[in-house]
Amino acid sequence: EPEVTQTPSHQVTQMGQEVILRCVPISNHLYFYWYRQILGQKVEFLVSFYNNEISEKSEIFDDQFSVERPDGSNFTLKIRSTKLEDSAMYFCASKGLAGAGEQFFGPGTRLTVL
Amino acid sequence: DQQVKQNSPSLSVQEGRISILNCDYTNSMFDYFLWYKKYPAEGPTFLISISSIKDKNEDGRFTVFLNKSAKHLSLHIVPSQPGDSAVYFCAAIRYSGGSNYKLTFGKGTLLTVNP
């Protein structure tokens, strides 16, 4: 069964450093998303991406964040200068044309900013 | 901004019994509701969904009920099994046109099914 994969599973970085979180969505999906979950809090929407452009972004997704689909398979989230409060689980999700809204999530990347 | 609320952080039931997980929402513009299940160290897994124009959807042991007037939905699991033990998230979508189907999540309810 096709699945969304994410690498790395855990990323530790120093405050102020850049990180890139990588995702490989399900191959025939067209809509891509990043969500994050700070420990003990709800899963929050960050950004949606369709047709090679951002379709919506949340208030969290400020100028320090960017997304890219550099080739036909990868979908990346870059944080330019990490802050302590960026520590969270980051989930990538994708959605196909079928279905009304079901998104398929990857296992997540745990980002720890020291 | 708690548009989707799950007021019970945890629920414990006996194997074989019914589990009822509840969710309330405040935004009457939501068009579609979903339940996700999440095991530790995994991403959320889609379970079942319901359109806002329906009041019930059933899939095997899982049934979702929607009460639009009360802005309330619930997930029923019958019979509950130990493997159902997980965190259950309620989520909602408002179709804003274009190409976005962003999910708004509740905080989740930890279900424990005891053998």
Side-chain angles (χ1 to χ4, degrees):
Chain A
E1 185 173 326
E3 58 182 17
V4 177
T5 60
Q6 290 185 243
T7 54
S9 56
H10 191 189
Q11 174 87 51
V12 181
T13 190
Q14 295 287 330
M15 187 171 58
Q17 295 296 303
E18 174 184 287
V19 294
I20 298 176
L21 310 183
R22 302 180 192 279
C23 169
V24 179
I26 294 173
S27 63
N28 62 347
H29 282 186
L30 301 176
Y31 303 88
F32 312 110
Y33 306 84
W34 284 100
Y35 294 84
R36 80 172 186 189
Q37 185 181 27
I38 295 172
L39 187 64
Q41 299 186 24
K42 62 170 62 178
V43 177
E44 301 173 286
F45 168 78
L46 291 179
V47 65
S48 58
F49 192 86
Y50 171 74
N51 199 24
N52 287 318
E53 62 182 18
I54 290 173
S55 49
E56 186 169 345
K57 57 185 180 180
S58 72
E59 296 173 348
I60 304 166
F61 196 89
D62 61 21
D63 292 344
Q64 294 301 311
F65 291 85
S66 62
V67 290
E68 199 174 42
R69 188 154 163 83
D71 52 42
S73 60
N74 291 284
F75 180 51
T76 62
L77 174 69
K78 182 194 291 186
I79 309 175
R80 287 190 187 80
S81 177
T82 49
K83 303 187 282 283
L84 295 176
E85 54 264 38
D86 293 327
S87 295
M89 280 293 289
Y90 288 80
F91 295 105
C92 172
S94 68
K95 176 188 168 330
L97 278 178
E102 298 84 359
Q103 296 172 23
F104 295 84
F105 283 77
T109 293
R110 177 171 298 284
L111 176 64
T112 302
V113 182
L114 302 176
Chain B
D1 177 18
Q2 285 204 65
Q3 297 189 68
V4 178
K5 302 177 193 176
Q6 292 177 259
N7 292 319
S8 298
S10 63
L11 174 69
S12 182
V13 300
Q14 284 301 119
E15 181 178 5
R17 298 287 185 98
I18 184 171
S19 295
I20 299 176
L21 297 122
N22 293 303
C23 176
D24 297 295
Y25 60 95
T26 56
N27 189 342
S28 59
M29 303 297 288
F30 283 135
D31 301 291
Y32 200 67
F33 301 91
L34 308 91
W35 284 94
Y36 279 82
K37 178 169 74 172
K38 185 182 181 303
Y39 294 117
E42 295 184 13
T45 302
F46 170 71
L47 201 54
I48 191 169
S49 60
I50 188 167
S51 165
S52 62
I53 62 174
K54 299 197 172 181
D55 54 20
K56 178 182 175 182
N57 187 27
E58 189 172 353
D59 183 2
R61 296 187 297 115
F62 303 92
T63 303
V64 56
F65 296 92
L66 175 62
N67 182 334
K68 278 193 75 174
S69 60
K71 295 193 181 69
H72 177 83
L73 65 155
S74 60
L75 174 68
H76 292 211
I77 306 174
V78 183
S80 302
Q81 299 172 353
D84 296 328
S85 297
V87 177
Y88 288 78
F89 291 100
C90 174
I93 293 175
R94 177 187 171 189
Y95 295 131
S96 52
S99 53
N100 184 33
Y101 300 88
K102 75 172 186 182
L103 294 168
T104 299
F105 281 92
K107 284 191 170 182
T109 296
L110 173 62
L111 173 66
T112 303
V113 180
N114 301 303

